[in-house]
Amino acid sequence: MGKLFSSRRTAEFLLFALRTALAWGIGLLWVIPFLGVFMSAVRPQEELLHGWWRFSPFTFTLQNFSRAWTHSTASIAQGLWNSLLVALPATLLSVFLGALAAYGFLRARTGIATWLFLGVVLLLALPQQMAAIPLFQGLAALDLINSYVGLILVHAAWGLPWITMFLRNFFTTVPVELEEAARIDGASRTYTFFRILLPVSLPALASAAALQFNWVWNDFFLALILIYSPDKLLVTQRIPLLRGQYYVDWGLLSAAALLAMSVPILVFLLLQRYYVRGLVGWNVEK
């Protein structure tokens, strides 16, 4: 009996060690590309000619960040500001409209609401490339090409399906007794939504906002087809312009990439708990 117990403990320990080693291996493989970008950003170009993994000599410098920040034709500072002008309103608008739609779908008692919600779910499978031409033609007819308003509306509309489904799933976890108690006290449906349901849904709203902000911030395709003025280019559009004409300036490109990803990382750090809960789902025990 003692030998059987000991062998079982040994097998469990070996399985734990194998899982840990596998997790560390995958983690290291995931970190290596980022390490390469970071090492390229903080070293001069001449030290990168034979590979960033060669550390002799090693000269730490922030010059690449300075050049990317104040670049004459594709300033990353201006790109970060332009991206904020698009990402913030596109996030707030889509989360607000998504919350309204989610509550409506949840409380609607008609059969057509079910079919409409099914249509919302099916829209999640629509690739951007399929809608690019009609989207461009529609915005051109409204004179919204090369306009942040047009890009904000497109991002808000594109994020609505998943945000609606996401928040509807969360609203189902809120006890309906809260709404019934408010209704007994004479509260209207609008008052119940804004003063009772939304405050208790702040974790879900923050999670949806973090995911939508990162999606809008990292977008390249929609910005590429809708924004073309040099002074309006977003940060993701400016990075390829730093490539150089006669040689690839890897240090400049890497510094610009790190500056561009600094904002999503900051958002992730601020909303980390909600971000992770949004990815794993609300029905998982925390």
Side-chain angles (χ1 to χ4, degrees):
M1 189 66 182
K3 290 183 178 179
L4 180 62
F5 181 76
S6 177
S7 61
R8 179 177 297 178
R9 292 289 299 272
T10 302
E12 291 177 352
F13 175 78
L14 291 176
L15 183 59
F16 172 77
L18 181 61
R19 288 176 177 174
T20 303
L22 182 62
W24 273 97
I26 294 175
L28 288 175
L29 288 176
W30 192 268
V31 166
I32 285 176
F34 177 79
L35 181 62
V37 173
F38 179 77
M39 295 304 296
S40 300
V42 298
R43 300 172 68 185
Q45 176 72 9
E46 54 271 18
E47 293 186 8
L48 304 175
L49 297 178
H50 302 289
W52 64 265
W53 52 88
R54 298 182 184 276
F55 296 101
S56 180
F58 181 90
T59 305
F60 181 83
T61 178
L62 296 177
Q63 188 178 7
N64 291 325
F65 290 94
S66 176
R67 292 194 297 131
W69 187 265
T70 60
H71 197 273
S72 57
T73 58
S75 168
I76 295 300
Q78 184 64 43
L80 292 175
W81 175 248
N82 294 344
S83 292
L84 278 177
L85 293 179
V86 173
L88 285 177
T91 300
L92 296 176
L93 182 61
S94 57
V95 171
F96 176 71
L97 295 179
L100 288 174
Y103 186 63
F105 280 122
L106 181 65
R107 293 291 175 253
R109 301 182 184 279
T110 58
I112 192 172
T114 304
W115 287 104
L116 285 175
F117 183 71
L118 179 62
V120 169
V121 174
L122 291 177
L123 285 176
L124 293 173
L126 186 66
Q128 291 180 340
Q129 292 78 3
M130 183 179 292
I133 294 178
L135 195 62
F136 184 88
Q137 292 175 337
L139 290 178
L142 297 173
D143 196 21
L144 291 178
I145 295 297
N146 197 33
S147 166
Y148 288 156
V149 175
L151 186 58
I152 290 169
L153 292 177
V154 170
H155 276 303
W158 208 267
L160 266 179
W162 80 264
I163 292 176
T164 301
M165 187 179 70
F166 179 87
L167 292 179
R168 182 186 179 278
N169 291 338
F170 177 80
F171 288 161
T172 58
T173 65
V174 178
V176 71
E177 288 79 8
L178 288 176
E179 297 182 44
E180 293 175 351
R183 203 168 304 145
I184 292 174
D185 292 337
S188 64
R189 185 76 79 177
T190 304
Y191 183 92
T192 303
F193 175 75
F194 284 103
R195 302 301 297 270
I196 296 178
L197 187 63
L198 284 188
V200 301
S201 304
L202 281 180
L205 297 175
S207 178
L211 293 169
Q212 172 69 0
F213 181 88
N214 284 338
W215 161 258
V216 176
W217 186 273
N218 294 321
D219 170 70
F220 177 76
F221 180 73
L222 292 176
L224 181 66
I225 63 175
L226 298 179
I227 301 294
Y228 57 83
S229 292
D231 59 326
K232 291 185 177 180
L233 295 181
L234 307 188
V235 68
T236 51
Q237 295 174 278
R238 290 170 182 259
I239 293 176
L241 302 179
L242 301 176
R243 184 175 180 272
Q245 185 174 2
Y246 301 106
Y247 70 95
V248 179
D249 193 338
W250 292 110
L252 186 63
L253 285 173
S254 300
L258 289 179
L259 289 172
M261 69 173 66
S262 62
V263 176
I265 290 176
L266 181 62
V267 172
F268 172 77
L269 292 177
L270 292 175
L271 303 174
Q272 180 181 7
R273 182 177 57 174
Y274 306 123
Y275 191 93
V276 173
R277 292 179 69 180
L279 290 177
V280 301
W282 297 102
N283 294 325
V284 178
E285 294 293 336
K286 309 303 184 297

